[in-house]
Amino acid sequence: SLDMDNVHFTIIDPFIDYGSTSNQYQFIENDLKTASSNPKIDWLFVVESEPMYTSPSRHPADSTIRDVFHPLFDKYNVDLVFSSDNHNYQRTFPLKYNIRGDSSNPIIGDRNQTNYNGDYQGQIYLIIGTAGRPLYEIKQQAPFVAKQDDDQFGFLNIDINANNTLIGTFYSNKNDGSVVGNNNFKNIILDQFTILKDN
């Protein structure tokens, strides 16, 4: 785990034991607990390669790791969860763990497509598997997915402003066709979302 300014990153390794009695689980829980109570930390991000929620694609959602960690993410108010295994782009609505039903059908904390303020519950799950390997087809859109794309390579840029506003912008590697000066061009924006946090 690491801090970058007012953001705390926790990284999970899905290929070693992460069960509730494992050393990794104990580390993750203590790490999130400490970060969530640190007054210098405003944002909690988790990085993990296996998708916990996904539209139907090459790899299904990993229900085991989801059932272990999503309740912890709710408990400690994680903001964003990044994964990559499906080679496409997906962004969910804020999702809360469905403790009373099928965990593959999470509770949607806010159905707004792009703008979220501090009163929603849950985390936004992002799949960003668009770095250059062949893209995986998305067969349909899951009801908890706000935006998806399986046609273009690209990257997600995260800006956090001084007023505690996060802006996530997914840029395609394709450009808009404009050439200014020495091969300068604008990347096409495929998705953009904003989170305004209560101070």
Side-chain angles (χ1 to χ4, degrees):
S1 67
L2 63 115
D3 295 335
M4 182 181 293
D5 296 324
N6 63 339
V7 181
H8 182 78
F9 292 85
T10 301
I11 297 136
I12 298 174
D13 186 342
F15 303 109
I16 62 174
D17 186 9
Y18 55 77
S20 60
T21 59
S22 69
N23 289 336
Q24 178 171 208
Y25 181 91
Q26 298 304 317
F27 171 82
I28 299 296
E29 179 165 31
N30 290 333
D31 185 66
L32 292 176
K33 181 179 181 180
T34 301
S36 69
S37 62
N38 183 343
K40 295 180 181 178
I41 298 298
D42 297 313
W43 301 90
L44 293 178
F45 296 170
V46 171
V47 180
E48 189 272 317
S49 65
E50 302 284 320
M52 296 186 190
Y53 296 98
T54 178
S55 288
S57 190
R58 176 81 58 94
H59 300 291
D62 187 323
S63 61
T64 304
I65 199 163
R66 175 181 66 225
D67 292 344
V68 168
F69 285 113
H70 191 168
L72 274 186
F73 300 164
D74 284 345
K75 182 177 182 179
Y76 296 113
N77 298 313
V78 168
D79 297 293
L80 301 179
V81 180
F82 300 90
S83 64
S84 62
D85 229 13
N86 279 327
H87 298 169
N88 46 54
Y89 174 77
Q90 299 181 46
R91 173 178 58 84
T92 70
F93 296 105
L95 303 179
K96 192 170 177 186
Y97 185 71
N98 189 347
I99 197 165
R100 295 193 175 140
D102 177 5
S103 69
S104 66
N105 292 308
I107 298 165
I108 297 173
D110 189 327
R111 291 187 178 272
N112 192 295
Q113 290 288 323
T114 57
N115 296 306
Y116 309 99
N117 59 27
D119 61 1
Y120 72 86
Q121 294 184 328
Q123 300 74 46
I124 294 174
Y125 288 78
L126 295 143
I127 296 175
I128 310 157
T130 53
R133 291 189 134 194
L135 296 169
Y136 295 166
E137 177 188 4
I138 299 173
K139 298 178 174 89
Q140 64 187 44
Q141 187 160 341
F144 49 77
V145 171
K147 181 68 177 179
Q148 62 186 29
D149 185 90
D150 62 359
D151 187 48
Q152 298 189 46
F153 299 104
F155 61 95
L156 179 70
N157 185 72
I158 300 285
D159 286 312
I160 298 175
N161 300 327
N163 65 352
N164 230 9
T165 301
L166 180 151
I167 301 170
T169 308
F170 183 76
Y171 292 96
S172 166
N173 285 350
K174 292 182 179 178
N175 66 60
D176 66 357
S178 64
V179 177
V180 180
N182 200 5
N183 292 327
N184 293 325
F185 58 84
K186 293 180 182 177
N187 289 90
I188 298 169
I189 294 175
L190 296 179
D191 184 31
Q192 191 166 63
F193 64 96
T194 302
I195 303 172
L196 174 61
K197 252 207 184 171
D198 292 336
N199 290 327

